[in-house]
Amino acid sequence: MELHDVWFVLIAVLWTGYFFLEGFDFGVGILTKLLARDRPERRVLINTIGPVWDGNEVWLLTAAGATFAAFPEWYATLFSGFYLPLLLILVCLIVRGVAFEYRAKRPEENWQRNWETAIFWTSLLPAFLWGVAFGNIVGGVKIDRDFEYVGNTWDLLNPYALLGGLVTLTLFTFHGAVFTALKTVGDIRERARKLALKVGLATAVLALAFLSWTQVDSGDAKSLVALVVAVAALVAALVANQAGREGWSFAFSGVTIVAAVAMLFLALFPNVMPSTLNADWSLTVTNASSSPYTLRIMTWCAGIAAPIVVLYQGWTYWVFRKRIGTQHIAEAAH
């Protein structure tokens, strides 16, 4: 296997880790409006992800940085062609981070309510837009002979990509509901399980349609295996959720995300951005990659730094592993 193939796999792993981790905290952010009934319950939801949300975003920074270094042509075409949606995602992530940090800085109800509204919308929009972006990456876009995107923003809003956006939106919301049930106690835990069932059933229908469409268009035997694993894991997550086994349900919902993202990258390889104008103009792991020397240096750096980051983040989740409820919120307790 060539180094550019190795880095394609590593970038796929980084995006998978990002969607697995950021997926549930996007979902929890969405649930602050769909599940929480009052301010203490919103505090509970926010506190479940408070210690970890910023660490989850490290995976995005690493994935984007690795793409820039390993596949500069891919990075340039992607970030110039998808400029507006990616800018909107970036703005949402900035506002979302500010909302988490500033929400409790003042006691006024309007102040806190406005920041809570910001958390909801800046969780919902990226959850949808990431699916739209990856739908276009896998489905293909208008790339010319100079490997430049020549379409416009409206071209990105095609049926396949919009369906992908609905899949990530519902899947992340389901993932967040299962995580909420795993991390909370009392009435909010039970309501999270009930909501997870409803959202999970909608996710199953949308995901099956989107992944089947992907398989028919550009899949092979390997991507078909990933599709079957994704669907089976989602069904298992729903069954475990109904049985009250939140830990297993969360694990299976995570497997669903991992398998679904793996399928998209398997269907994409060896392309990194297919051209809908001419297959010969597609960006591939070969014509979009950096030099072998650059990839060797990156491999050594990643081999040293990645295990440290994973161990540290794993330790963070272990420290903050306990369940919480409204009785742990000072205002509600008194």
Side-chain angles (χ1 to χ4, degrees):
M1 181 181 286
E2 299 290 336
L3 276 179
H4 50 65
D5 297 330
V6 171
W7 273 98
F8 179 85
V9 173
L10 291 177
I11 288 171
V13 169
L14 291 171
W15 280 110
T16 302
Y18 174 66
F19 287 143
F20 178 90
L21 296 172
E22 190 85 303
F24 71 74
D25 74 46
F26 279 151
V28 171
I30 294 169
L31 294 179
T32 57
K33 292 291 186 182
L34 301 183
L35 182 66
R37 292 175 173 172
D38 50 32
R39 178 146 290 114
E41 289 192 352
R42 284 191 287 275
R43 281 281 303 277
V44 169
L45 292 176
I46 292 171
N47 287 357
T48 62
I49 59 174
V52 298
W53 69 267
D54 48 355
N56 295 343
E57 291 189 354
V58 170
W59 290 78
L60 171 62
L61 299 175
T62 309
T67 304
F68 171 75
F71 299 100
E73 287 281 0
W74 183 13
Y75 181 92
T77 303
L78 175 63
F79 280 78
S80 60
F82 294 16
Y83 182 81
L84 286 179
L86 292 180
L87 177 62
L88 181 56
I89 291 174
L90 178 60
V91 171
C92 284
L93 294 180
I94 293 172
V95 174
R96 189 168 182 263
V98 173
F100 281 127
E101 298 297 333
Y102 275 74
R103 177 194 164 278
K105 295 296 184 183
R106 288 169 55 178
E108 291 88 343
E109 183 176 346
N110 287 342
W111 172 272
Q112 296 190 2
R113 184 170 56 247
N114 289 339
W115 285 120
E116 289 165 358
T117 299
I119 290 173
F120 169 75
W121 285 109
T122 56
S123 298
L124 186 148
L125 288 174
F128 175 73
L129 290 174
W130 278 127
V132 174
F134 270 81
N136 280 290
I137 291 173
V138 176
V141 291
K142 296 178 180 179
I143 299 176
D144 65 12
R145 65 173 68 250
D146 297 319
F147 304 131
E148 294 181 359
Y149 178 69
V150 293
N152 56 51
T153 301
W154 297 111
D155 292 330
L156 303 178
L157 302 179
N158 56 79
Y160 176 76
L162 291 174
L163 178 59
L166 291 176
V167 170
T168 52
L169 176 59
T170 54
L171 181 55
F172 291 169
T173 304
F174 171 69
H175 197 40
V178 172
F179 179 78
T180 299
L182 176 64
K183 288 287 292 179
T184 58
V185 294
D187 181 56
I188 193 170
R189 174 187 177 188
E190 296 302 318
R191 284 188 282 116
R193 285 177 50 206
K194 293 178 181 179
L195 182 60
L197 174 62
K198 297 176 182 178
V199 178
L201 292 174
T203 302
V205 174
L206 293 171
L208 182 59
F210 178 71
L211 295 180
S212 299
W213 191 342
T214 304
Q215 179 65 26
V216 171
D217 273 0
S218 53
D220 56 16
K222 293 179 181 178
S223 62
L224 180 60
V225 172
L227 186 157
V228 173
V229 171
V231 173
L234 182 54
V235 172
L238 288 168
V239 172
N241 176 71
Q242 282 301 96
R245 304 297 298 272
E246 291 98 346
W248 282 107
S249 184
F250 180 71
F252 281 124
S253 69
V255 172
T256 302
I257 292 175
V258 171
V261 177
M263 184 200 170
L264 294 181
F265 277 94
L266 286 170
L268 184 61
F269 186 81
N271 294 319
V272 292
M273 284 189 76
S275 172
T276 57
L277 300 179
N278 188 325
D280 293 335
W281 299 344
S282 297
L283 287 169
T284 68
V285 293
T286 303
N287 64 27
S289 69
S290 293
S291 67
Y293 179 70
T294 300
L295 296 178
R296 282 197 299 270
I297 294 176
M298 290 177 61
T299 303
W300 279 104
C301 293
I304 296 171
I308 298 173
V309 173
V310 171
L311 287 173
Y312 174 76
Q313 192 165 20
W315 175 78
T316 303
Y317 276 92
W318 176 256
V319 170
F320 295 101
R321 67 188 181 277
K322 293 184 178 180
R323 295 176 181 266
I324 62 173
T326 53
Q327 65 269 30
H328 300 112
I329 306 301
E331 293 90 336
H334 299 289

